[in-house]
Amino acid sequence: PRRSGPPARRSLCICPTYPDRPRPAYPCGRPDSITSSKLETMKRYGVNRISINPQTMNDSTLKFIGRNHSVNEVKEKFYMAREYGFDNINMDLIVGLPGEGIEEVNKTCDEIEKLGPDNLTVHGMSVKRASRLYENIVNNISYSIAGHEELRLMYERTALLAKSMNMKPYYMYRQKNMVGNMENIGYTSGKHRGLYNVEMIEERQTIIACGADAVTKVMFLDEDRFERQANIKDVGEYVRRIDEMVKKKIDLLNTLY
């Protein structure tokens, strides 16, 4: 689902508690998954926040970690989204990627500032088992990670980037196996903050998620618990069993509403 070229899909998550304030958010994510037809469809159906995530603006790093987009494609898709009228675009960066130091992060920050996104999310690198980087580790392909002091400088540089774009931090969270023992931080100029991000982290909000590998989370606040209903991960299998996925979601929601 993370490479949503046809016929794959990305997940769409909606917070249903406030019917008078719908906030559809579509994490397009990887620039190579974004097309003009998808942007047009999202605009038509009222999606008001999207993410276009470069992770880094250094082509050599993108190639090493297994991303299929280039720096130029990041720019191309960002400007395409602007042309379709999207005025609430988030961009994700990752600090601590293999082979990157303060010089590479400076280049990334300079390029992001030129684009001028409306939100910025800064992540510390956390190795995922399904990633190309994890495969490289298993296959003993050598790579270097910046030391703690340089990682600190790299995080500070991203904070300066946010400040230069008149953004302030509004949420943070941590993940397993993060380099530098730092936090993931979301920045916004204020009016573009993603309430969905805060509600997800606080785990106080029912979330309806649609798409392959998407997870619906139903909150039972009176009982101080939640239940999850995950869609199947394989896109082809998800399409074939979509009626089953929908029924499971409805059955779970009916226990609350």
Side-chain angles (χ1 to χ4, degrees), residues 145-162:
I145 298 294
H148 184 79
E149 179 60 23
E150 189 167 20
L151 284 169
R152 182 184 64 80
L153 293 174
M154 292 153 72
Y155 271 100
E156 288 183 356
R157 178 64 181 89
T158 61
L160 288 174
L161 167 64

Side-chain angles (χ1 to χ4, degrees), residues 15-175:
C15 306
T17 301
Y18 310 104
D20 58 327
R21 293 167 57 203
R23 296 183 302 280
Y26 190 88
C28 308
R30 298 188 176 189
D32 54 304
S33 74
I34 300 172
T35 65
S36 59
S37 62
K38 292 176 183 176
L39 290 172
E40 182 180 0
T41 300
M42 287 185 283
K43 197 66 179 176
R44 187 188 318 130
Y45 286 98
V47 172
N48 59 12
R49 174 188 166 94
I50 65 173
S51 291
I52 301 174
N53 302 331
Q55 318 302 2
T56 176
M57 296 295 270
N58 294 279
D59 281 326
S60 59
T61 307
L62 290 170
K63 183 177 181 180
F64 183 82
I65 65 176
R67 294 303 171 98
N68 291 328
H69 67 267
S70 65
V71 171
N72 283 337
E73 191 169 13
V74 172
K75 299 175 182 179
E76 174 190 339
K77 298 304 173 63
F78 182 88
Y79 291 127
M80 180 189 295
R82 287 294 199 217
E83 289 176 1
Y84 275 95
F86 288 98
D87 59 0
N88 189 357
I89 301 176
N90 172 74
M91 302 191 89
D92 281 11
L93 305 180
I94 299 179
V95 171
L97 288 169
E100 292 209 346
I102 187 63
E103 182 178 344
E104 287 77 17
V105 170
N106 279 334
K107 179 178 182 296
T108 292
C109 290
D110 289 343
E111 294 292 341
I112 295 300
E113 185 172 7
K114 292 175 186 175
L115 292 173
D118 310 289
N119 293 269
L120 179 70
T121 308
V122 178
H123 299 264
M125 186 184 73
S126 176
V127 179
K128 309 295 185 183
R129 291 181 63 87
S131 67
R132 172 73 62 81
L133 179 56
Y134 182 80
E135 292 179 12
N136 289 341
I137 293 172
V138 171
N139 293 321
N140 295 317
I141 297 177
S142 62
Y143 64 93
S144 61
I145 298 294
H148 184 79
E149 179 60 23
E150 189 167 20
L151 284 169
R152 182 184 64 80
L153 293 174
M154 292 153 72
Y155 271 100
E156 288 183 356
R157 178 64 181 89
T158 61
L160 288 174
L161 167 64
K163 185 176 181 179
S164 70
M165 296 190 293
N166 297 314
M167 295 183 186
K168 295 182 179 180
Y170 75 102
Y171 80 99
M172 70 177 185
Y173 65 102
R174 305 187 75 179
Q175 293 174 281

